[in-house]
Amino acid sequence: MDEHVPLARIQLLLRSVALALIALSLSPRTVAAKPQFAAMFVFGDSLIDPGNNNDLNSLAKANYVPYGVDFNGGVPTGRFCNGKTIIDYLGDLLELPLLPPYTSSSVNSGNIVGGVNYASAAAGILEETGQNLGERFTLSEQVQNFDNTLNQLKGQMNEQELSHYLASSLVVMILGSNDYINNYLQPSFYTTSYFYTPEDYADLLIQRYRRQILVLQSLGTRKFFLGGIGPLGCIPNQLATGLSSPGKCVSFVNDYVGMFNVRLRSLVDQFNRDYKGSIFVYGNTFAALGDIIRNASTYGITVTDRGCCGIGRNQGQITCLPFSSPCTNRSQYIFWDAFHPTAIVNQILASKAYGGTTSDCYPMNVQQMAQI
């Protein structure tokens, strides 16, 4: 008898139990519960954009069918997914209302107490990132938009109330992917790869990122979840370049983003040392998504190398074409289009952010942060 079989069965059983717990934790609630944070403020790119680019002069939009086919009654909202984003699922777990986009009329009318989502497709840490796709709210502009929200909140709370509210709120930041796929890895549009080694470029990104994070901290926010970059070398867009053998990710791309992630995790350590009244958490997106790719079958996923909609691997990969017909078995795909995960993957990633181990979130998860 093979002595490794029992261990393999145990590992499979543990993974099955974990998946069951994920499903249970994300099931619809029957009793209203108190939100675990006062609010959530979100900064990022198309992975979590809820529709802020809809009215911009930009190629980076998702306000058309088939985007949103499994959300909002099938009416597109601008989310780059078939359903909910990571932020939507994380909000469910935290008992927070669905966050409005910064550009929505509800924000303009002052409906902001539960938080606001400022994320913008094609945005990056660097100002120039994504400019090849047109208008977007850069990170610095998103931070400025948050300052505008603060001015609105000052009309709804006194100084002491606002200070407590901000300190009890969660800031989520998920950026960096576009600084590679819509900057460093596109030498025909950008010069960064000519002037920076991969190591120096990662240093540059962290330096600029650090500056904006500390602006938010100086404005009164105290709890931060900083999501790392996922394995970009494994997304259909990069697989379509032909720079990897069939069935393999583009290793040098993953190496590049790994340099950024290592530095981001170190930045979290530095922040937690230097800013004692604040909490900073690193979300290990690279490991979490990598686990889903490597162990797809244990998550009920069968397709790992192409999007549910878009163009096939050998023809190049893009976002979904307007009114195209996506796959019907969406829960069996990791990727919705060439760049973005399906709702089922977003659900798994949100659960890891909320209740994962230190290999998912360091030095604690979001649920633990809420209790401090």
Side-chain angles (χ1 to χ4, degrees):
M1 179 176 176
D2 187 342
E3 61 179 354
H4 296 293
V5 170
L7 178 59
R9 286 177 177 169
I10 291 171
Q11 290 173 331
L12 182 59
L13 177 61
L14 289 174
R15 191 176 297 277
S16 299
V17 170
L19 286 171
L21 290 173
I22 288 171
L24 180 62
S25 69
L26 291 167
S27 61
R29 284 155 174 75
T30 56
V31 179
K34 181 182 177 182
Q36 295 172 46
F37 290 92
M40 180 162 58
F41 297 100
V42 177
F43 306 81
D45 53 32
S46 59
L47 292 170
I48 52 177
D49 181 352
N52 282 312
N53 280 24
N54 288 355
D55 295 322
L56 298 183
N57 182 17
S58 173
L59 295 174
K61 294 184 182 182
N63 57 341
Y64 57 86
V65 175
Y67 285 100
V69 64
D70 299 314
F71 179 73
N72 192 42
V75 179
T77 60
R79 287 166 169 78
F80 286 75
C81 187
N82 60 299
K84 291 183 175 182
T85 67
I86 297 171
I87 294 301
D88 298 328
Y89 283 117
L90 185 58
D92 289 343
L93 290 165
L94 294 173
E95 304 289 352
L96 287 166
L98 192 68
L99 295 187
Y102 174 74
T103 56
S104 71
S105 58
S106 63
V107 169
N108 293 330
S109 64
N111 184 22
I112 51 179
V113 176
V116 178
N117 188 330
Y118 306 91
S120 175
I125 295 168
L126 301 184
E127 288 294 307
E128 67 270 22
T129 289
Q131 65 186 5
N132 56 304
L133 296 173
E135 292 180 338
R136 69 268 177 242
F137 294 104
T138 66
L139 174 57
S140 64
E141 290 171 331
Q142 292 179 39
V143 172
Q144 179 58 54
N145 291 339
F146 173 73
D147 197 31
N148 296 339
T149 299
L150 277 188
N151 290 329
Q152 288 180 277
L153 289 168
K154 288 174 183 176
Q156 302 179 24
M157 307 178 193
N158 63 39
E159 184 175 347
Q160 184 176 358
E161 289 170 339
L162 181 59
S163 177
H164 178 74
Y165 167 84
L166 292 174
S168 304
S169 296
L170 174 66
V171 171
V172 177
M173 306 183 77
I174 300 177
L175 292 120
S177 295
N178 284 314
D179 293 292
Y180 287 94
I181 58 178
N182 280 306
N183 191 325
Y184 197 72
L185 296 174
Q186 292 208 37
S188 58
F189 288 103
Y190 301 92
T191 60
T192 46
S193 61
Y194 300 125
F195 294 107
Y196 296 96
T197 66
E199 294 86 352
D200 290 341
Y201 188 64
D203 287 336
L204 173 68
L205 293 179
I206 292 296
Q207 176 190 355
R208 300 287 177 83
Y209 204 11
R210 180 182 190 278
R211 187 181 306 166
Q212 297 300 330
I213 295 167
L214 289 181
V215 169
L216 293 172
Q217 197 270 349
S218 72
L219 292 172
T221 57
R222 294 293 180 264
K223 295 182 177 183
F224 293 79
F225 179 86
L226 308 177
I229 303 176
L232 294 183
C234 303
I235 67 175
N237 167 264
Q238 290 300 302
L239 297 180
T241 63
L243 296 174
S244 65
S245 56
K248 300 290 184 181
C249 299
V250 183
S251 58
F252 78 88
V253 173
N254 282 345
D255 290 342
Y256 288 176
V257 301
M259 296 173 192
F260 172 86
N261 288 335
V262 166
R263 287 160 173 77
L264 182 59
R265 191 179 189 275
S266 296
L267 184 66
V268 162
D269 277 333
Q270 179 188 334
F271 279 161
N272 283 325
R273 285 195 305 268
D274 296 345
Y275 299 91
K276 295 300 184 183
S278 300
I279 304 171
F280 298 86
V281 169
Y282 167 68
N284 193 352
T285 312
F286 193 101
L289 187 55
D291 179 64
I292 299 172
I293 293 171
R294 287 189 307 272
N295 301 292
S297 62
T298 62
Y299 292 94
I301 291 172
T302 59
V303 184
T304 64
D305 62 350
R306 63 184 185 274
C308 176
C309 71
I311 307 298
R313 174 182 175 127
N314 295 328
Q315 298 169 287
Q317 277 274 355
I318 57 175
T319 52
C320 305
L321 295 173
F323 302 105
S324 60
S325 297
C327 66
T328 56
N329 55 335
R330 294 182 277 278
S331 64
Q332 295 178 28
Y333 277 68
I334 288 182
F335 298 102
W336 164 245
D337 61 15
F339 304 92
H340 308 98
T342 53
I344 186 67
V345 172
N346 285 335
Q347 187 179 46
I348 296 168
L349 294 176
S351 73
K352 288 176 179 287
Y354 178 74
T357 66
T358 52
S359 63
D360 300 314
C361 302
Y362 171 84
M364 67 185 70
N365 58 44
V366 173
Q367 184 181 29
Q368 291 166 333
M369 185 165 35
Q371 296 168 356
I372 296 176

